[in-house]
Amino acid sequence: MEEDSQAKMNKIITADDAKSGFWSIVQSSLSDLMAEAPTVWKGPQADDYATERTMIQRNYTPIYWGIGSSLIVFATFRITGSQQYRHFLMRRRNLPIPLEDPTEAAKNRLMSLPIDLMLSLLIGVSATLFNIKTTVLQKDFETAPLVQGKSLVVKHFCPPMTHLHHRIDPGLLRKIPQDNTIESLKAFVNNCKAREETEAAIRVDQPPRGNDQIF
């Protein structure tokens, strides 16, 4: 009785809470996945993760472009706005170099830092959104648990996403209008379940291999 009451208290009953939980898991699980990926992708079982690695890198490339754009723009702003750069241009044009108060120059540089940073981030985000293919990303995410070979997505995403799905009130899932986040959650969890069932069936016909993924 007490467990039933606790379960009801932990139920998610609003769409905003469900979507917030989804994105929170994406953030934490993606961080864990990318921290483990370099070791796994270069390890003795690297070939087992080849299909998933290709899929992840395809969707991560626009993010690298965005980060690179931000860094290049930020460096450009800081270099072209520096006193040394102004003096360099003046020397190239044979212009006299005016005396400047070093303290005032440093103050101006410091005051321009937040603006340079904000504009650089804005350009980086714009570059990412321009290059990213949202429909491909959504489809890849939803079908990731079914990828051939071993899967870090299954390891890091399936347990928390499945737990989140179980916490959402079934009535809420039926009432929520068409929403990409909720639909992706449902499709992803269904594919996690499909992979788990397939692996269980394969294990029946194969020698025991512990809890290793066997796709």
Side-chain angles (χ1 to χ4, degrees), residues 160-199:
M161 285 294 184
T162 302
H163 179 67
L164 173 66
H165 187 266
H166 287 162
R167 288 182 57 210
I168 300 175
D169 185 89
L172 176 65
L173 289 174
R174 290 192 296 268
K175 289 187 292 185
I176 293 177
Q178 193 75 12
D179 182 279
N180 286 339
T181 300
I182 300 302
E183 292 304 312
S184 288
L185 171 63
K186 291 192 288 188
F188 182 84
V189 170
N190 284 338
N191 286 330
C192 286
K193 183 178 179 181
R195 181 176 181 121
E196 184 180 358
E197 290 174 349
T198 302
E199 287 190 344

Side-chain angles (χ1 to χ4, degrees), residues 122-134:
L122 180 61
I123 291 171
V125 170
S126 298
T128 299
L129 294 177
F130 178 78
N131 286 287
I132 202 165
K133 298 177 180 177
T134 53

Side-chain angles (χ1 to χ4, degrees), residues 39-55:
T39 302
V40 171
W41 290 350
K42 294 178 181 178
Q45 295 182 319
D47 289 345
D48 294 339
Y49 293 90
T51 305
E52 180 180 72
R53 181 173 65 248
T54 301
M55 179 195 70

Side-chain angles (χ1 to χ4, degrees), residues 97-116:
I97 298 175
L99 293 175
E100 296 183 42
D101 182 358
T103 303
E104 189 66 23
K107 181 181 177 182
N108 291 335
R109 289 272 291 162
L110 188 60
M111 290 178 64
S112 67
L113 179 61
I115 298 175
D116 290 347

Side-chain angles (χ1 to χ4, degrees), residues 202-212 214:
I202 293 174
R203 282 195 178 94
V204 172
D205 300 324
Q206 292 185 357
R209 300 175 57 178
N211 291 321
D212 244 7
I214 54 177

